[in-house]
Amino acid sequence: MPAPGEASPDLATETFLAHRNLLFTVAYEMLGSAADAEDVLQETWLKWAGVDLAQIREHRAYLVRITTRQALTRLRALDRRKESYVGTWLPEPLLTAPDVAEDAELADSVSMAMLLVLETLRPTERAVFVLREVFDLPYDEIAEAVGKTPAAVRQIGHRARSHVSARRPRGDVTPAETRGALDAFQKAVETGDLQGLLDLLAPDVVFLGDGGGVKQAVPRPVVGADKVARLLAAGSTRLPAPLRPAVVNGHPALVLELEGEVDTVLTLRVDEGKITGLYAVRNPAKLSHMDTETALRR
């Protein structure tokens, strides 16, 4: 039997598991790291297991509050780690079930492009934006989660929303449009078609690579269609294996596998029919979880 004041193990476990995907998505969107999000869930469970559920009116809201507070603490530590990171830091990619792409709002919120936009927010701004704009939590619940007043949360939310709106993709892009751009891009890369790449890339396209100081990657952003196209065309002659399509962070992407392990994940951002962002993650520490699908749900 549970000790006085503790939840029944079965009820505590069932409640936690019922909301686990939601909690993971909240943590992942705040942190941009699947490994750190999993650690946050472990910390959330440890705190949740000792709670007297009879005293909790809204179980989901309470779990989200624990997760948010743990994620905020970890986010500040993660920001310090990024200061000494070798090269460009990119979020950890996630293989996602194909049906995640059907939820356009969820897919947009976990896209590599959006996670990079969220990186430009302060920790509390990021938490408020995710909880309000993605999960539509009421301001009083968000206030409890971040330790602010509802009035302050409204102001923070307005500021974060304006910040994100100025930097997010310029128009709605359907999965079919992204898939079309990706298919054409894959063909051009694999054949070394320089003109084909130039036709696909926006004039101000940005190519980012993350090797974490372990794998070779572009050390700094490569900007401009001509530079990016020539880099990709030259690299196509050295591809050690075919690229395979995958659904990553809710969007079509390309994966390079070597000897049964993921070597590179390439995602892209499409704006108004042109590729404006290319993101290549090669850091092995960020790809170790790519052999299993991670469910992202509200």
Side-chain angles (χ1 to χ4, degrees):
M1 294 182 62
E6 290 186 349
S8 160
D10 289 342
L11 179 58
T13 301
E14 289 172 5
T15 305
F16 181 81
L17 291 178
H19 298 296
R20 189 186 190 284
N21 287 338
L22 164 68
L23 302 177
F24 176 85
T25 307
V26 168
Y28 176 69
E29 291 199 33
M30 287 182 60
L31 299 168
S33 165
D36 283 289
E38 289 289 356
D39 287 344
V40 164
L41 258 63
Q42 289 294 323
E43 294 161 1
T44 299
W45 164 250
L46 290 174
K47 289 184 175 296
W48 175 250
V51 168
D52 181 2
L53 296 191
Q55 303 299 316
I56 306 301
R57 186 174 57 183
E58 294 288 345
H59 291 172
R60 190 184 93 142
Y62 196 87
L63 278 165
V64 168
R65 184 171 74 183
I66 297 174
T67 299
T68 301
R69 290 182 176 178
Q70 295 300 317
L72 277 172
T73 299
R74 189 167 288 262
L75 181 57
R76 295 182 177 103
L78 188 60
D79 285 344
R80 290 192 292 272
R81 295 208 305 266
K82 291 175 190 174
E83 293 175 0
S84 58
Y85 194 80
V86 179
T88 302
W89 187 95
L90 290 174
E92 287 184 26
L94 283 178
L95 280 174
T96 47
D99 62 346
V100 172
E102 297 173 6
D103 186 337
E105 187 177 353
L106 179 59
D108 174 66
S109 72
V110 296
S111 70
M112 190 68 70
M114 177 56 74
L115 290 175
L116 284 170
V117 171
L118 295 181
E119 281 294 310
T120 63
L121 295 173
R122 296 185 179 91
T124 301
E125 289 176 336
R126 186 165 182 169
V128 170
F129 181 87
V130 168
L131 295 177
R132 180 62 182 175
E133 300 302 318
V134 180
F135 299 102
D136 198 29
L137 265 62
Y139 286 111
D140 57 344
E141 287 187 21
I142 300 174
E144 287 284 338
V146 300
K148 302 285 185 180
T149 66
V153 165
R154 287 178 181 273
Q155 291 181 340
I156 293 169
H158 175 75
R159 185 167 62 245
R161 189 164 52 250
S162 298
H163 182 94
V164 170
S165 295
R167 292 164 176 79
R168 72 191 313 161
R170 293 188 282 269
D172 293 332
V173 180
T174 67
E177 289 172 325
T178 302
R179 170 59 65 193
L182 189 76
D183 290 345
F185 174 82
Q186 180 179 2
K187 181 179 179 181
V189 167
E190 291 181 338
T191 59
D193 182 359
L194 180 61
Q195 187 57 53
L197 287 167
L198 288 170
D199 291 341
L200 289 167
L201 301 176
D204 58 349
V205 63
V206 178
F207 178 32
L208 302 176
D210 179 351
V214 180
K215 288 288 189 72
Q216 184 177 4
V218 291
R220 60 187 62 86
V222 180
V223 182
D226 186 67
K227 290 182 179 179
V228 172
R230 292 184 184 280
L231 176 67
L232 292 169
S236 68
T237 62
R238 301 191 297 271
L239 276 176
L243 298 168
R244 69 171 178 86
V247 179
V248 175
N249 290 71
H251 292 267
L254 296 173
V255 173
L256 174 65
E257 287 187 346
L258 297 178
E259 299 179 354
E261 295 185 354
V262 176
D263 177 84
T264 305
V265 172
L266 183 67
T267 59
L268 53 81
R269 167 174 169 168
V270 177
D271 288 298
E272 299 174 350
K274 294 286 188 178
I275 297 173
T276 59
L278 289 162
Y279 316 110
V281 179
R282 303 201 67 218
N283 184 348
K286 295 185 177 183
L287 302 176
S288 60
H289 59 279
M290 291 289 289
D291 59 343
T292 57
E293 288 189 338
T294 300
L296 293 173
R297 295 290 184 272
R298 293 185 187 284

